[in-house]
Coordinates of all heavy atoms in Angstrom, one line a residue:
N117 N 74.7 -25.4 -291.6 CA 74.1 -24.4 -292.5 C 72.5 -24.5 -292.4 O 71.9 -24.0 -293.3 CB 74.5 -24.6 -293.9 CG 76.0 -24.4 -294.1 OD1 76.6 -23.5 -293.5 ND2 76.6 -25.2 -294.9
Q118 N 72.0 -25.0 -291.3 CA 70.6 -24.9 -291.1 C 70.3 -24.1 -289.8 O 71.1 -24.1 -288.9 CB 70.0 -26.3 -290.9 CG 70.1 -27.2 -292.1 CD 69.6 -28.6 -291.9 OE1 69.1 -28.9 -290.8 NE2 69.6 -29.4 -292.9
G119 N 69.2 -23.5 -289.7 CA 68.8 -22.7 -288.5 C 68.1 -23.6 -287.5 O 67.5 -24.6 -287.8
E120 N 68.3 -23.3 -286.3 CA 67.6 -24.0 -285.2 C 66.1 -23.6 -285.2 O 65.8 -22.4 -285.2 CB 68.2 -23.6 -283.8 CG 69.5 -24.3 -283.5 CD 69.4 -25.8 -283.3 OE1 68.5 -26.3 -282.6 OE2 70.2 -26.5 -283.8
A121 N 65.3 -24.6 -285.1 CA 63.9 -24.4 -285.1 C 63.5 -23.7 -283.8 O 62.6 -22.8 -283.7 CB 63.1 -25.7 -285.3
K122 N 64.1 -24.1 -282.7 CA 63.8 -23.6 -281.4 C 65.1 -23.5 -280.6 O 65.7 -24.5 -280.4 CB 62.8 -24.5 -280.6 CG 62.4 -23.9 -279.3 CD 61.4 -24.8 -278.6 CE 61.0 -24.3 -277.3 NZ 60.1 -25.2 -276.6
M123 N 65.5 -22.3 -280.3 CA 66.8 -22.1 -279.5 C 66.6 -22.6 -278.1 O 65.5 -22.6 -277.5 CB 67.1 -20.6 -279.5 CG 67.5 -20.1 -280.9 SD 68.9 -20.9 -281.6 CE 70.2 -20.4 -280.5
P124 N 67.7 -23.2 -277.5 CA 67.6 -23.6 -276.1 C 67.3 -22.5 -275.2 O 67.6 -21.3 -275.4 CB 69.0 -24.1 -275.9 CG 69.8 -24.0 -277.1 CD 69.0 -23.3 -278.1
Q125 N 66.6 -22.8 -274.1 CA 66.2 -21.8 -273.1 C 67.4 -21.4 -272.4 O 68.4 -22.2 -272.2 CB 65.2 -22.4 -272.2 CG 63.8 -22.6 -272.8 CD 62.8 -23.1 -271.8 OE1 63.1 -23.4 -270.6 NE2 61.6 -23.2 -272.2
T126 N 67.5 -20.2 -272.0 CA 68.6 -19.6 -271.2 C 68.5 -20.1 -269.8 O 67.4 -20.0 -269.2 CB 68.7 -18.1 -271.3 OG1 68.8 -17.8 -272.7 CG2 69.8 -17.5 -270.5
F127 N 69.5 -20.5 -269.2 CA 69.5 -20.9 -267.7 C 70.3 -19.8 -267.0 O 71.5 -19.8 -267.0 CB 70.1 -22.3 -267.5 CG 70.0 -22.7 -266.1 CD1 68.9 -23.4 -265.7 CD2 71.1 -22.5 -265.2 CE1 68.8 -23.8 -264.4 CE2 71.0 -22.9 -263.9 CZ 69.8 -23.6 -263.5
Y128 N 69.6 -18.9 -266.4 CA 70.2 -17.8 -265.7 C 69.2 -17.3 -264.7 O 68.1 -17.0 -265.0 CB 70.7 -16.7 -266.7 CG 71.3 -15.5 -266.0 CD1 72.6 -15.6 -265.4 CD2 70.7 -14.3 -266.0 CE1 73.2 -14.5 -264.8 CE2 71.3 -13.2 -265.4 CZ 72.5 -13.3 -264.8 OH 73.1 -12.2 -264.2
D129 N 69.6 -17.2 -263.4 CA 68.7 -16.8 -262.4 C 68.6 -15.3 -262.2 O 67.8 -14.8 -261.5 CB 69.0 -17.5 -261.1 CG 70.1 -16.8 -260.3 OD1 70.8 -16.0 -260.8 OD2 70.1 -17.0 -259.1
G130 N 69.5 -14.5 -262.9 CA 69.4 -13.1 -262.9 C 70.1 -12.4 -261.8 O 70.3 -11.2 -261.8
S131 N 70.5 -13.1 -260.7 CA 71.0 -12.4 -259.6 C 72.6 -12.2 -259.7 O 73.1 -11.1 -259.4 CB 70.7 -13.1 -258.3 OG 71.3 -14.4 -258.2
S132 N 73.3 -13.2 -260.1 CA 74.7 -13.1 -260.3 C 75.3 -14.3 -261.0 O 74.7 -15.4 -261.1 CB 75.4 -13.0 -258.9 OG 75.5 -14.2 -258.3
F133 N 76.5 -14.1 -261.6 CA 77.2 -15.2 -262.2 C 77.5 -16.4 -261.2 O 77.3 -17.5 -261.6 CB 78.4 -14.7 -262.9 CG 79.3 -15.9 -263.4 CD1 79.0 -16.5 -264.6 CD2 80.4 -16.3 -262.7 CE1 79.8 -17.5 -265.1 CE2 81.2 -17.3 -263.2 CZ 80.9 -17.9 -264.4
V134 N 77.9 -16.0 -260.0 CA 78.3 -17.0 -259.0 C 77.1 -17.8 -258.7 O 77.2 -19.1 -258.6 CB 78.9 -16.3 -257.8 CG1 79.1 -17.3 -256.6 CG2 80.2 -15.6 -258.1
T135 N 75.9 -17.2 -258.5 CA 74.7 -18.0 -258.2 C 74.3 -18.9 -259.3 O 74.0 -20.1 -259.1 CB 73.6 -17.0 -257.8 OG1 74.0 -16.1 -256.8 CG2 72.3 -17.8 -257.4
T136 N 74.4 -18.4 -260.5 CA 74.0 -19.2 -261.7 C 75.0 -20.4 -261.8 O 74.6 -21.5 -262.1 CB 74.0 -18.4 -263.0 OG1 73.1 -17.3 -262.8 CG2 73.7 -19.2 -264.2
L137 N 76.3 -20.1 -261.7 CA 77.3 -21.2 -261.8 C 77.0 -22.3 -260.7 O 77.1 -23.5 -261.0 CB 78.7 -20.7 -261.6 CG 79.8 -21.7 -261.8 CD1 79.8 -22.4 -263.1 CD2 81.2 -21.0 -261.6
A138 N 76.7 -21.9 -259.5 CA 76.4 -22.8 -258.4 C 75.2 -23.7 -258.8 O 75.2 -24.9 -258.5 CB 76.2 -22.1 -257.1
L139 N 74.2 -23.1 -259.4 CA 73.0 -23.9 -259.8 C 73.3 -24.9 -260.9 O 72.9 -26.0 -260.8 CB 71.9 -22.9 -260.3 CG 71.2 -22.0 -259.3 CD1 70.4 -21.0 -260.0 CD2 70.4 -22.9 -258.3
I140 N 74.1 -24.5 -261.9 CA 74.5 -25.4 -262.9 C 75.4 -26.5 -262.4 O 75.2 -27.7 -262.7 CB 75.3 -24.6 -264.1 CG1 74.3 -23.7 -264.8 CG2 75.9 -25.6 -265.0 CD1 74.9 -22.7 -265.7
D141 N 76.4 -26.2 -261.6 CA 77.3 -27.2 -261.0 C 76.5 -28.2 -260.1 O 76.7 -29.4 -260.2 CB 78.4 -26.6 -260.1 CG 79.5 -25.9 -260.9 OD1 79.5 -26.2 -262.2 OD2 80.3 -25.2 -260.4
A142 N 75.5 -27.7 -259.4 CA 74.6 -28.6 -258.6 C 73.9 -29.6 -259.5 O 73.7 -30.7 -259.2 CB 73.7 -27.8 -257.7
L143 N 73.4 -29.1 -260.6 CA 72.7 -29.9 -261.6 C 73.6 -31.0 -262.2 O 73.2 -32.1 -262.4 CB 72.0 -29.1 -262.7 CG 70.8 -28.3 -262.3 CD1 70.4 -27.4 -263.4 CD2 69.7 -29.1 -261.9
L144 N 74.8 -30.6 -262.5 CA 75.7 -31.5 -263.2 C 76.5 -32.3 -262.2 O 77.1 -33.3 -262.5 CB 76.7 -30.7 -264.0 CG 76.1 -29.9 -265.1 CD1 77.2 -29.0 -265.8 CD2 75.4 -30.8 -266.1
A145 N 76.5 -32.0 -260.9 CA 77.1 -32.7 -259.8 C 78.6 -32.8 -260.1 O 79.3 -33.8 -259.8 CB 76.5 -34.1 -259.6
L146 N 79.2 -31.7 -260.6 CA 80.7 -31.7 -260.8 C 81.4 -31.6 -259.5 O 81.0 -30.8 -258.6 CB 81.0 -30.5 -261.7 CG 80.5 -30.5 -263.1 CD1 80.8 -29.1 -263.8 CD2 81.1 -31.6 -263.9
P147 N 82.4 -32.4 -259.3 CA 83.2 -32.3 -258.0 C 84.0 -31.0 -258.0 O 84.4 -30.4 -259.0 CB 84.1 -33.5 -258.0 CG 84.3 -33.7 -259.5 CD 83.0 -33.3 -260.2
A148 N 84.3 -30.5 -256.7 CA 85.1 -29.3 -256.6 C 85.9 -29.5 -255.2 O 85.3 -30.1 -254.3 CB 84.3 -28.1 -256.5

Side-chain angles (χ1 to χ4, degrees):
N117 298 321
Q118 296 179 357
E120 281 293 316
K122 182 178 177 185
M123 292 300 291
Q125 292 182 354
T126 303
F127 185 85
Y128 178 69
D129 82 342
S131 63
S132 74
F133 172 78
V134 172
T135 304
T136 300
L137 183 59
L139 290 169
I140 291 170
D141 284 346
L143 288 173
L144 298 176
L146 296 172

